[in-house]
Every structure is written in structure tokens, then in C-alpha cells.
Amino acid sequence: MTELPVVVIGAGPAGLAAAAHLVDRGLTPLVLEAGLAAGAAVREWHHVRLFSRWGELVDAAAEKLLAPTGWQAPDSDAYPTGAEWAEHYLQPLADTLGDRVRYGARVVGVARRGWDRVVDAARGTEPLTVRVDTAGGEERIDARAVIDASGTWTSPNPLGGDGLPALGERAAVDRIRYRVPNLTDPAEQARYGGRRIAVAGSGHSALTALVAFAELAQAVPGTHVEWLLRRGEIGTTFGGGDADQLPARGALGKRAAEAVAAGHITTVTRFRTAAVERDSAGRLVLESFAGTRLDPVDEVVVLTGFRPDLGFLSEVRLDLDPVLQAPRALAPLVDPNVHSCGTVYPHGAVELAQPEPDVYLVGMKSYGRAPTFLALTGYEQVRSVVAAIAGDRAAAERVELVLPETGVCSGGGLLEETSAESAGGCCGPAEPVAVPIGGQA
């Protein structure tokens, strides 16, 4: 099996970094990307600016691979947009890898060659097989190992507060979006300008949307946002502000707080959506599980996070946390019910390994349903995983990771309430940003 390629699923930041590390170790990568270009998911949020600097977005092995091509590293202190990350780093890296990256190749299954998941025999002697759908038909590719870096972008969480689509959500999909709108686009401005919009979510994507909608409201009168929070109070939603070691992330929270305070955004807490109905004018009326009904809105933007697609891994043996759907050993380190810190304990192949030999989940997908993944985390993951595949156990187990802290560790990132007793977290208490909370409009 040592002559077979290591199949990497996904040509995003973690997947391409994995390929670079494989090349550096003298192994053969084969990156299978469903899209038609590198960083296909990143390109879909091309208008959003990252809060990580360029210096935190380029993997060391990738930079080593790019250097002989004449590639020039961007200013390490600058903050790129998604489009710039894809254009100036991800695509050049994929181009350098050449035919070791295949586009239009959608992975639909992974298995042990000739054996389903029930059979014990040959799991350590037969290669893995990866089933791929392409424009030319189906293929089966033998692999010595599989690194799943497919991310979670294609599986956004629904509006429904119980994790299922709210009643009527699917029928109202023409007025519901699950991505941060690009409000620099005239068509998007026309769609939302002068309208009442419900924004559901409390993460960085939601804060980005709030800032953008507040700016639109200043330019287009009548634009107003109902910000729906499932938790009982804003608490530390806006992050650590000046205490955040990622300055752009802290600034985003401060700008979002200012947007709410300016009056263009009404905050509705304890709202867990149960149903979506249309009124006689075609507008949407949202109802909570508690029976609260909001005034009609024209559009809904759902930014409640993502979940992993595990369907194509059904024939390999996985050991995942029952709550987060992350590798069981990793889950306690990233569980938002326990903490909401930016720091993550160093982890790698040991925590990411699965009962199925040589199968690893890395990148955003490794976090399952947990939020706040940083590129630095993914780069250290794949360095360790590739070392394990290469048989270098010492390098695989020597994981080092230092992440910028948020400055806010509530001790209960997803709890309904944030009490003084529960605010210790992993980094100690911090003062939340104080903003007024409006009632229903």
C-alpha cells in the first residue's frame, strides 16, 4: 500500500496544506475537489475579510513548496478577503501541486477495499477505496490513507431551534439565506435595502452581517434588522474587544456592538425558531417554541453555524463525540458548552485518529459542530497527521499550537444564561461589552 496515494478530500486551506506536507515527506498526495477551483468554499464568501493576518494564513510546508516558483508572500500584517486568500495563496498552491489536484471530483464514499464496515478482516492489510463522481462517470481510487478536509461549508445549520428545519422553513427558502450577504453587490443591496430582515445567529458571521446591515441602514432608510438570539442575554457575544489578541476579531465585536447601539438593530433574546409562516403579503412571520411571534419580515439570514457531512464516511469506522460529532478525543478540547476561548490545547494525529486505520478528519470538519476554527489549527493538525502516515511517530506526537486568545471565556459559550458562577472558563472572567437590548419591533 505504500505505493498508493494519500487521498485528501477538499482543496481548501487544510487540504492543500496536507498535500504540501505529503510532498515534503516524499509521499504522493491526490487532492479531490468537488469544485472547479482551489478554495471553492472560500470563494463563496469572497467579500468577507478575515480577522487573521496573512502571516497566520500561510502554512509553512506550503510556503516551502511555493518558494521555488517565484511566489511572493503577501504582507504578513495585512488582512485578506476570502477572494484574496484564494487568488494569492490557495490557487497558486494548487497550481504548484499540478495534476495532484483534481477538480470536479466529488467524493461520495470511502470504504475498505472489498469489505464493509461490519467485517473485521483485512482492515489493516487492504487499502482504502474512495468512490468519486466526475463528469466522466464513477471512479474507484485505491488509497493508503484518507485525510478528510472537506469542511462544513455545504452543510449549514437550519433556522429551527431544535436543529431541524423549522416548520415552513423549506417552503420559504426563496426569502431565506444561509450565508453572509455581499452588500457591496447592487443586486444584494436592492434585495435588502429598505426591508425588515431577521438575522439568526451569534457567531462571527452573524456579527459581520450585523455590521454590514447597519451600514446599509444608514444609506437606505427603512432598513431594519431583528437580531434573533437563542441565548437569554447578549453576554459575551461581542467578544473580548481590545483584549482579543486578534485585533480584527476584537474590532468586529466592537463594531457590531456599536451597530446595535445605533438603533438600526433590535435584539430579541430567548428566541428559538419553531415555525415560519407567510402572511397575506408574502412576508415571513417567525414563531418561537415559546409561542412568541415576531412582526413580519421581508428576508431572513440564518447564520447559526455548520455541521459535518458524514454520509460518505458511512462504511468506515468512526469514533465521534455524540454531541459535537467531532473526533471523541478532540471534542472536550473544543466543546462550546464548556468554554468559548480562542485557545485550544495542542492536538494532532493522536486526537484525530479513528478506529478505521489511516482515516483522519482534519480542518473545520474535525470540529464537528463546534465553532471558531482558525487556519493555524488546521495547519498544525495536518502536519501531525502527515507525520503519522509517514511513520514518524515522534513528529506526530510533538504538537505545538499557540492561538490568539479572545479575551472572553464565558465558561458556557452556548448556555442560556451566563452567571457569575459559571464565568470562569479556561482563561478567567472578562467584562462583556455593554449595549442596550431592544424589545420586539
Side-chain angles (χ1 to χ4, degrees):
M1 288 194 289
T2 58
E3 301 301 317
L4 296 176
V6 175
V7 168
V8 180
I9 306 174
L16 291 174
H21 281 276
L22 288 163
V23 170
D24 192 50
R25 290 241 175 212
L27 304 179
T28 302
L30 177 59
V31 183
L32 302 176
E33 168 57 49
L36 301 179
V42 173
R43 293 173 190 272
E44 291 195 26
W45 48 267
H46 58 92
H47 54 291
V48 177
R49 191 168 298 279
L50 288 90
F51 46 68
S52 293
R53 299 181 178 92
W54 266 115
E56 298 156 333
L57 296 170
V58 176
D59 174 76
E63 188 169 15
K64 179 180 177 181
L65 190 63
L66 283 164
T69 70
W71 176 80
Q72 296 294 316
D75 180 358
S76 62
D77 288 328
Y79 297 89
T81 61
E84 291 166 343
W85 197 18
E87 178 183 355
H88 299 301
Y89 170 64
L90 299 177
Q91 194 61 57
L93 177 55
D95 292 343
T96 301
L97 289 164
D99 60 7
R100 290 170 287 199
V101 180
R102 290 183 56 186
Y103 302 110
R106 181 176 299 278
V107 174
V108 296
V110 179
R112 188 63 60 179
R113 187 174 66 181
W115 305 88
D116 65 28
R117 64 181 291 168
V118 177
V119 182
D120 290 335
R123 304 214 83 79
T125 58
E126 285 294 321
L128 293 154
T129 60
V130 181
R131 185 73 64 86
V132 184
D133 279 352
T134 70
E138 292 181 299
E139 292 184 38
R140 182 186 291 116
I141 299 171
D142 289 345
R144 64 178 292 179
V146 172
I147 301 175
D148 183 357
S150 58
T152 57
W153 178 254
T154 59
S155 305
N157 288 328
L159 177 61
D162 58 0
L164 302 175
L167 296 178
E169 181 175 345
R170 292 193 181 102
V173 71
D174 59 313
R175 289 179 178 260
I176 300 178
R177 292 280 296 277
Y178 299 86
R179 305 287 188 268
V180 178
N182 179 10
L183 296 182
T184 63
D185 183 337
E188 295 284 272
Q189 292 176 5
R191 174 171 180 166
Y192 295 103
R195 305 293 183 89
R196 287 178 57 83
I197 307 131
V199 174
S202 60
H204 296 113
S205 293
L207 299 186
T208 299
L210 293 181
V211 171
F213 279 128
E215 293 174 352
L216 180 64
Q218 293 177 345
V220 183
T223 306
H224 191 83
V225 170
E226 298 280 327
W227 182 25
L228 311 182
L229 290 174
R230 293 173 178 173
R231 60 181 67 183
E233 57 185 33
I234 287 182
T236 55
T237 300
F238 294 120
D242 293 336
D244 197 318
Q245 293 179 11
L246 282 178
R249 183 171 59 189
L252 170 64
K254 293 174 68 176
R255 291 179 65 194
E258 292 166 358
V260 172
H264 300 299
I265 298 167
T266 299
T267 306
V268 183
T269 59
R270 299 183 186 279
F271 195 93
R272 308 181 76 85
T273 309
V276 181
E277 300 177 3
R278 289 185 190 266
D279 66 8
S280 58
R283 304 173 82 193
L284 302 184
V285 178
L286 307 186
E287 181 176 348
S288 75
F289 277 93
T292 304
R293 290 172 65 88
L294 300 183
D295 289 339
V297 296
D298 300 288
E299 300 282 345
V300 178
V301 178
V302 182
L303 301 170
T304 53
F306 299 85
R307 60 183 60 180
D309 175 9
L310 301 169
F312 63 82
L313 299 175
S314 62
E315 289 306 316
V316 293
R317 298 177 177 183
L318 302 179
D319 183 20
L320 303 180
D321 178 75
V323 177
L324 295 183
Q325 297 178 296
R328 189 180 298 272
L330 174 61
L333 310 181
V334 299
D335 187 350
N337 285 298
V338 178
H339 65 85
S340 59
C341 303
T343 52
V344 174
Y345 186 83
H347 64 276
V350 172
E351 291 81 6
L352 300 172
Q354 294 298 315
E356 193 71 54
D358 296 316
V359 171
Y360 297 90
L361 276 60
V362 303
M364 187 66 232
K365 189 166 185 176
S366 72
Y367 269 38
R369 298 197 186 196
T372 320
F373 185 83
L374 294 176
L376 286 172
T377 304
Y379 295 159
E380 178 61 8
Q381 286 180 340
V382 299
R383 184 208 60 78
S384 173
V385 163
V386 170
I389 294 171
D392 188 346
R393 294 180 59 87
E397 295 174 2
R398 188 182 65 251
V399 290
E400 299 176 358
L401 181 66
V402 178
L403 296 179
E405 296 182 11
T406 64
V408 168
C409 306
S410 70
L414 297 184
L415 295 181
E416 289 295 318
E417 302 287 351
T418 303
S419 65
E421 291 78 9
S422 68
C426 58
C427 309
E431 292 296 323
V433 180
V435 295
I437 302 178
Q440 297 179 35

